[in-house]
Amino acid sequence: MQSFPAPATEMVETMQAAAAEAPTNAVAFQGCPGANSHRAAMEALPEALPLPCFSFEDALDAVKDGRAGSAIIPIENSQHGRVADIHFLLPESGLSIVGEHFMPIRHALMALGDGPFTAAYSHPQALGQSRFFLRERGIVPLSHADTAGAAAFVAEKGDPGLASISPPIAAELYGLKIIENDVQDASDNMTRFVILAPEPNDPASLAGEDAITTFVFEVKNIPAALYKAMGGFATNGVNMTKLESYQIGTSFTATAFYADIIGAPGDPAVDRALEELAFHSKELRILGSYRQARARN
């Protein structure tokens, strides 16, 4: 397992020890204490014990290994799109999506010194969400494993010419000064997180609820395969709120799709649409059905 910056190590070890005492109540997240995923975990599952993990893979492994009862992972951002690699990691994990959480994102520029700054560290998503701010000031964006870890790294380096783009709480945790708040380029910057667990929700428990079902599929390599696969949703009146493609392997001949629909298995219309999709697909895997945290209109 990769290591956290020294200023974060004590807090990480304390949280890991608490989670080890009650693993079924622990929620794994990627990043250092103070990261956006830490905040999301506490908002979505306020009674859970936060378990910081260095990478997304580590957070998912913590659930698979029984060191946490659930994990919370960012999946997409309103400004910067899909979180890299997450569509590969979720199907491979064997875990199920059991919930979602939407969280407004605020970033601050923080440092030991007052500037000028030659570079700013942060997670690639945060750098992308603040790219105009950084470009206007001539600050070079440099990638780090997570937003709060970037703040801890800047504190560890001790260079007053370095800054980080991090959640405001990270400045307090790691002894930095906030140079400027709200440096994200869009005021409505929002990230969607999904909550993962070893077992899926029973779709029957969602009857009468506003539910989302997430799945991945690969269509057969024939003309109009995607058109035919999608036809069942239109004819059965099932609303598809998300459809994204991604490549499988290095041949660029096999394309998989990630999708969200409104509804859950057990609804006759959803069942008919998924049956038609399966007929036109080489593979179909449902990742989970869960209550909507935010209405899709």
Side-chain angles (χ1 to χ4, degrees):
M1 181 182 291
Q2 301 96 326
S3 60
F4 292 94
T9 301
E10 185 176 350
M11 283 183 283
V12 169
E13 291 176 347
T14 298
M15 290 181 175
Q16 289 175 339
E21 293 294 321
T24 57
N25 196 37
V27 54
F29 66 91
Q30 185 271 332
C32 287
N36 285 316
S37 292
H38 182 193
R39 177 183 151 208
M42 294 296 88
E43 288 183 3
L45 302 167
E47 303 301 320
L49 297 169
L51 174 61
C53 301
F54 189 83
S55 67
F56 292 130
E57 292 94 330
D58 292 338
L60 298 176
D61 285 345
V63 181
K64 291 191 289 184
D65 297 343
R67 291 179 286 116
S70 60
I72 188 164
I73 301 292
I75 193 167
E76 59 186 322
N77 175 263
S78 60
Q79 184 181 349
H80 204 240
R82 182 171 70 197
V83 176
D85 296 335
I86 205 67
H87 290 3
F88 296 100
L89 293 175
L90 292 187
E92 292 172 358
S93 72
L95 303 177
S96 297
I97 302 176
V98 296
E100 64 176 357
H101 180 69
F102 289 85
M103 190 175 78
I105 302 296
R106 294 181 58 230
H107 294 305
L109 182 74
M110 57 189 68
L112 289 170
D114 296 315
F117 304 110
T118 57
Y121 286 88
S122 197
H123 187 275
Q125 278 277 328
L127 294 173
Q129 294 160 26
S130 308
R131 62 186 182 277
F132 295 120
F133 172 87
L134 295 171
R135 185 184 303 165
E136 287 175 353
R137 290 155 181 78
I139 300 174
V140 177
L142 296 175
S143 294
H144 197 272
D146 74 276
T147 51
F153 178 76
V154 167
E156 182 179 29
K157 295 293 287 185
D159 184 344
L162 295 178
S164 75
I165 300 288
S166 305
I169 192 175
E172 179 181 347
L173 291 176
Y174 303 113
L176 301 181
K177 294 187 289 186
I178 291 181
I179 307 302
E180 190 168 346
N181 273 308
D182 295 320
V183 302
Q184 65 276 2
D185 296 325
S187 60
D188 58 350
N189 193 17
M190 180 80 68
T191 292
R192 178 190 177 206
F193 294 80
V194 291
I195 302 166
L196 297 127
E199 299 296 330
N201 292 323
D202 180 358
S205 69
L206 301 170
E209 300 272 0
D210 293 327
I212 293 286
T213 295
T214 297
F215 53 89
V216 291
F217 64 98
E218 182 184 350
V219 295
K220 298 175 181 177
N221 192 16
I222 58 175
L226 181 60
Y227 174 81
K228 294 174 182 177
M230 294 292 95
F233 297 98
T235 57
N236 288 288
V238 176
N239 187 13
M240 179 170 286
T241 60
K242 188 175 189 64
L243 179 65
E244 291 188 353
S245 64
Y246 59 99
Q247 292 296 318
I248 300 174
T250 58
S251 66
F252 290 92
T253 59
T255 302
F257 296 88
Y258 171 99
D260 289 340
I261 59 170
I262 294 180
D267 179 326
V270 171
D271 289 342
R272 289 192 298 268
L274 290 175
E275 182 179 1
E276 189 165 341
L277 173 64
F279 179 80
H280 293 290
S281 298
K282 292 171 62 177
E283 182 181 7
L284 168 62
R285 187 185 310 178
I286 294 178
L287 299 182
S289 297
Y290 46 94
R291 291 174 180 83
Q292 292 185 39
R294 191 179 189 186
R296 271 68 160 180
N297 295 321

